[in-house]
Amino acid sequence: MLPANRLPALATLALGLMVAAVALVAYVAPVDANQGLSQKIFYFHVPVALTAYALFGWGAWRGLRHLWKREQGADLESYVAIHLGVIFGAMTLLTGSIWAKISWGRWWAWSSDQLVLFLVLFLFYSAYFMLRFSIEPGPQRANLSAVYAVFGVALIPVSFLAIRISKDIIHPVVFKSTGPDMSGTMFLAFCVSWAAMLALAATLYHVELAGKRLDARLKELREALTS
Amino acid sequence: MGLAQEYSLGVIRARGLEKRYGDRQVLRRVEFELPRNGFLLVTGPNGSGKTTLLRICAGLAAPTGGELTCDVGRPSIGFLAHEPLVYRELNALENLDLYGRLYRIRERRERIGMLLERFGLWEERHARVASYSRGMLQRLALCRTLLHEPELLVLDEPYSALDDDGAALLDRELAERRATASFVVATHEPDRVLPLATARLALG
Amino acid sequence: MTYFADVGALARKDLMLELRARDTLPAMLLFVLSTLVVFHFVLPSDSSELAAKGLLWVAILFTALLGLSRAFAAEREQGVIDGLVLATRDRSAIWLGKALAILAFLGLAEIVALPAFGLFFTHVGGGTIAGVVLADVGICAVGTLLAAMATASRARELLLPLIFLPLTIPIVIGGVGASVAGHPGKYLAFLALYDAIFGLVAWGSFEYVVTE
């Protein structure tokens, strides 16, 4: 757990990176020859998606630590990471949808692996909340949430593979988004915006965690006073 | 070394045990130690956490605070719950046979037959458990609990639903095992087992 | 080996319960046949055989779901699961025994459903049969674990489809691929991979689902 006094530093870092990323994307990265300005959403969409994966992965890791080592607080950390992961996942769907509208003229494209995968993950992790909130808080809820979170990280690569191999039965490959040849400045802009997203996610994670911990502390205190 | 071993002769030790379900605190700072072949009598009004404490002793629930150590392995614990923990659609023999297999009891059939005989269920052994009366279910549950000769018996209201014969039978069973097993017993009728008890824990 | 003796005893108990109560299997059979009849009216008259083959997978998945939602009903009713958790050396045996029992029910339902599908729609090829066998393993492995989770929650049967369906999307993709592709090998290999990965995760995590 982050010491409380580091949180402002982390928030400042996130803000600085965001400003740098916006500046790099707007002024330094070249305008795409084919897609024009709209391609710039790539610098937002892909880092958000990668950050969502990182959050789901971290949530599963904290879940695993809870099951394995009974680490104090790991359950709450797992939940907060997945909660943020779902928010970043929803942003991925939204930005992807905008990109699809601009590139292909439709709000939804089944041919985009990333979008389909995020739809599956969005459904999966929404069910995580249904599961979690239909169990009384306590060790059992922590266990079931953690097991489900671990299933999530197994589902990500397996679904990705499934969507890939389904191409030849369901959809012809119309668009190859993999491995865009990035120039030096494009790559720099991409990396900085990714770092900015990760820093933003880390900041939000610690803020939410601190809030939830404070809530729990308050409840304990209230109980100690009333009993 | 020798001293430490002697000191840890206890079967169960609970230190600052706490259990909460959501916002409700069920157990608060419970402390006790059950020596080997001891008999802990747990009393308290409804909702004082007797059942919860027994579930923790049996390893079915985890405390949310404090710690409880139990030196008896899970296969050597006999747990009698409110519910008989048997399948309603199977008969008594089939139920006990399943548990006998899982507990890997040698000479399973003989042992099951003997217990059913002793608890007066032999005649009904082929009847579906769903047709049993409440008292018969309790007798079957006792058979299930004692099936594997447990070293630690965790009994939640063992006298509930038993008629006079059944209760007398249980008295004899408990007295007989008193020398070879440790007990944690929760009951509303403490007088019945008070002569056997070595310690008493009042909850709530 | 004693592990498999436990699994056998637990699975045998489920089959015995089914013989007595006949809760699950007749329901699954009737359901899968009703679904196929509904599909006849769902498909427009000139739709391709491929569409019917896709719908077959919907029928299989929902039939499995029906059986799974009752999987731990007997254990829940009387809290028997506590007794099993105490008596079983390795709790994953409870999962494996239950998964095998559900697999048997699902397999029996399909022994009726696949010929019926062939009769009503189009013939069932080797790729489909192999796909169904491999998919059944994954469905039962994951489904049994999730059914145990759903049983522990307040929402119970309501929750199971919500947590189950997203996890079965890869199975549907692999299964449909095995049914309709010219060379089903790739899809069958994928289904086998799914079974291996999720079978292992479910086997390793069941203990935590039934204990605190």
Side-chain angles (χ1 to χ4, degrees):
Chain A
M1 177 63 194
L2 199 73
N5 55 0
R6 298 259 182 83
L7 194 51
L10 185 62
T12 316
L13 176 73
L15 191 68
L17 280 169
M18 299 264 273
V19 171
V22 169
L24 278 170
V25 170
Y27 300 111
V28 182
V31 174
D32 188 85
N34 296 321
Q35 298 183 53
L37 268 179
S38 68
Q39 185 265 344
K40 302 240 175 191
I41 202 168
F42 158 85
Y43 296 106
F44 187 65
H45 173 71
V46 179
V48 168
L50 292 176
T51 307
Y53 287 133
L55 284 164
F56 291 142
W58 181 250
W61 169 246
R62 298 314 294 161
L64 204 59
R65 292 295 288 187
H66 163 78
L67 295 177
W68 186 14
K69 300 270 178 187
R70 299 277 145 188
E71 243 170 68
Q72 280 290 314
D75 170 55
L76 188 64
E77 289 166 23
S78 170
Y79 163 70
V80 168
I82 287 171
H83 180 215
L84 284 171
V86 168
I87 294 173
F88 275 75
M91 281 206 291
T92 309
L93 284 174
L94 197 70
T95 54
S97 181
I98 294 169
W99 199 5
K101 175 70 182 162
I102 295 167
S103 310
W104 307 306
R106 311 169 51 182
W107 289 107
W108 185 255
W110 285 108
S111 54
S112 161
D113 292 353
Q114 185 105 301
L115 279 186
V116 178
L117 178 56
F118 265 90
L119 191 58
V120 174
L121 292 181
F122 188 74
L123 292 176
F124 177 86
Y125 284 106
S126 300
Y128 171 90
F129 294 110
M130 297 288 295
L131 173 71
R132 190 173 170 94
F133 293 118
S134 78
I135 307 168
E136 289 296 314
Q140 191 173 39
R141 183 171 91 169
N143 279 357
L144 296 194
S145 303
V147 168
Y148 199 67
V150 172
F151 266 86
V153 283
L155 183 66
I156 293 173
V158 170
S159 297
F160 187 74
L161 186 62
I163 291 164
R164 264 293 148 89
I165 66 165
S166 74
K167 287 266 145 143
D168 34 309
I169 50 158
I170 298 178
H171 284 280
V173 181
V174 288
F175 168 72
K176 255 200 146 61
S177 68
T178 47
D181 296 323
M182 283 194 275
S183 68
T185 48
M186 280 174 89
F187 188 64
L188 178 72
F190 172 77
C191 285
V192 172
S193 26
W194 187 15
M197 276 307 152
L198 282 176
L200 176 67
T203 310
L204 292 174
Y205 172 76
H206 287 297
V207 168
E208 192 178 341
L209 209 51
K212 287 265 183 337
R213 291 220 166 112
L214 213 60
D215 265 1
R217 199 71 58 74
L218 208 62
K219 202 177 272 173
E220 263 170 39
L221 215 61
R222 196 177 300 144
E223 208 158 87
L225 283 174
T226 51
S227 71
Chain B
M1 178 69 190
L3 194 68
Q5 257 178 354
E6 218 145 296
Y7 195 72
S8 70
L9 269 176
V11 174
I12 302 182
R13 278 171 307 282
R15 298 261 172 277
L17 208 61
E18 310 237 331
K19 179 73 179 178
R20 54 167 64 241
Y21 287 105
D23 287 343
R24 211 163 68 83
Q25 179 118 29
V26 186
L27 293 175
R28 199 185 294 272
R29 289 186 287 280
V30 174
E31 312 253 343
F32 67 88
E33 181 157 349
L34 179 68
R36 194 160 291 282
N37 298 341
F39 191 118
L40 178 72
L41 175 60
V42 183
T43 56
N46 288 334
S48 59
K50 297 192 295 290
T51 296
T52 304
L53 179 65
L54 263 57
R55 285 178 62 81
I56 295 176
C57 289
L60 284 169
T64 44
E67 64 166 348
L68 180 133
T69 50
C70 182
D71 285 350
V72 175
R74 181 154 44 85
S76 308
I77 297 177
F79 179 57
L80 181 76
H82 280 295
E83 263 126 23
L85 309 188
V86 291
Y87 288 97
R88 293 171 57 83
E89 297 300 328
L90 300 182
N91 64 36
L93 270 184
E94 290 160 341
N95 268 304
L96 293 180
D97 188 66
L98 172 66
Y99 278 105
R101 281 171 196 269
L102 294 178
Y103 279 118
R104 295 174 194 158
I105 295 166
R106 271 168 296 168
E107 290 165 4
R108 192 170 66 237
R109 255 157 238 167
E110 291 74 4
R111 173 114 189 101
I112 291 171
M114 192 193 77
L115 276 169
L116 286 174
E117 185 86 59
R118 196 182 309 166
F119 280 89
L121 293 173
W122 180 249
E123 301 299 321
E124 307 288 335
R125 66 190 182 281
H126 289 300
R128 271 164 71 238
V129 167
S131 68
Y132 276 25
S133 71
R134 190 69 194 85
M136 287 162 78
L137 274 177
Q138 185 71 1
R139 288 168 183 240
L140 179 59
L142 284 164
C143 291
R144 195 212 79 234
T145 309
L146 300 173
L147 187 60
H148 52 295
E149 294 285 351
E151 282 170 47
L152 170 64
L153 279 158
V154 180
L155 310 176
D156 197 355
E157 301 291 352
Y159 288 94
S160 84
L162 289 181
D163 54 15
D164 289 345
D165 281 356
L169 192 65
L170 180 57
D171 283 342
R172 278 205 303 282
E173 282 292 326
L174 293 184
E176 227 171 75
R177 283 159 206 278
R178 184 65 188 73
T180 53
S182 314
F183 290 80
V184 179
V185 178
T187 174
H188 271 113
E189 309 165 67
D191 299 340
R192 185 119 211 169
V193 288
L194 210 49
L196 298 171
T198 55
R200 184 168 177 168
L201 178 70
L203 293 173
Chain C
M1 281 311 103
T2 46
Y3 178 74
F4 291 104
D6 289 359
V7 172
L10 287 160
R12 210 178 62 120
K13 168 265 306 170
D14 277 325
L15 300 181
M16 224 145 69
L17 280 172
E18 182 60 29
L19 274 176
R20 292 285 155 75
R22 297 204 181 86
D23 280 338
T24 311
L25 189 55
M28 288 169 84
L29 279 171
L30 195 56
F31 180 81
V32 76
L33 290 177
S34 319
T35 321
L36 290 180
V37 173
V38 169
F39 284 168
H40 169 70
F41 297 103
V42 165
L43 291 167
S45 57
D46 56 348
S47 62
S48 74
E49 287 183 351
L50 291 182
K53 281 185 175 168
L55 282 181
L56 171 66
W57 285 91
V58 178
I60 289 174
L61 208 57
F62 282 84
T63 305
L65 200 49
L66 192 73
L68 286 166
S69 67
R70 296 279 304 164
F72 285 96
E75 278 78 11
R76 189 185 68 208
E77 253 167 33
Q78 307 260 301
V80 189
I81 190 75
D82 284 346
L84 298 186
V85 161
L86 282 172
T88 317
R89 301 287 158 107
D90 183 337
R91 276 81 176 245
S92 66
I94 302 172
W95 165 79
L96 191 52
K98 186 65 82 181
L100 287 175
I102 299 284
L103 186 65
F105 300 155
L106 186 59
L108 284 171
E110 284 162 350
I111 284 176
V112 174
L114 288 178
F117 180 82
L119 185 70
F120 295 162
F121 298 97
T122 170
H123 98 274
V124 179
T128 304
I129 292 173
V132 166
V133 170
L134 284 169
D136 284 356
V137 174
I139 287 172
C140 293
V142 172
T144 303
L145 183 99
L146 295 181
M149 284 171 108
T151 303
S153 75
R154 278 193 308 266
R156 302 216 163 130
E157 285 87 356
L158 188 63
L159 188 66
L160 184 61
L162 300 179
I163 57 179
F164 178 69
L165 288 177
L167 271 165
T168 53
I169 287 172
I171 296 185
V172 171
I173 293 174
V176 172
S179 299
V180 304
H183 300 284
K186 185 170 67 170
Y187 297 99
L188 295 177
F190 172 75
L191 284 172
L193 180 74
Y194 181 99
D195 294 350
I197 292 175
F198 282 97
L200 266 177
V201 176
W203 174 76
S205 57
F206 185 80
E207 158 112 29
Y208 302 106
V209 172
V210 289
T211 57
E212 286 200 350

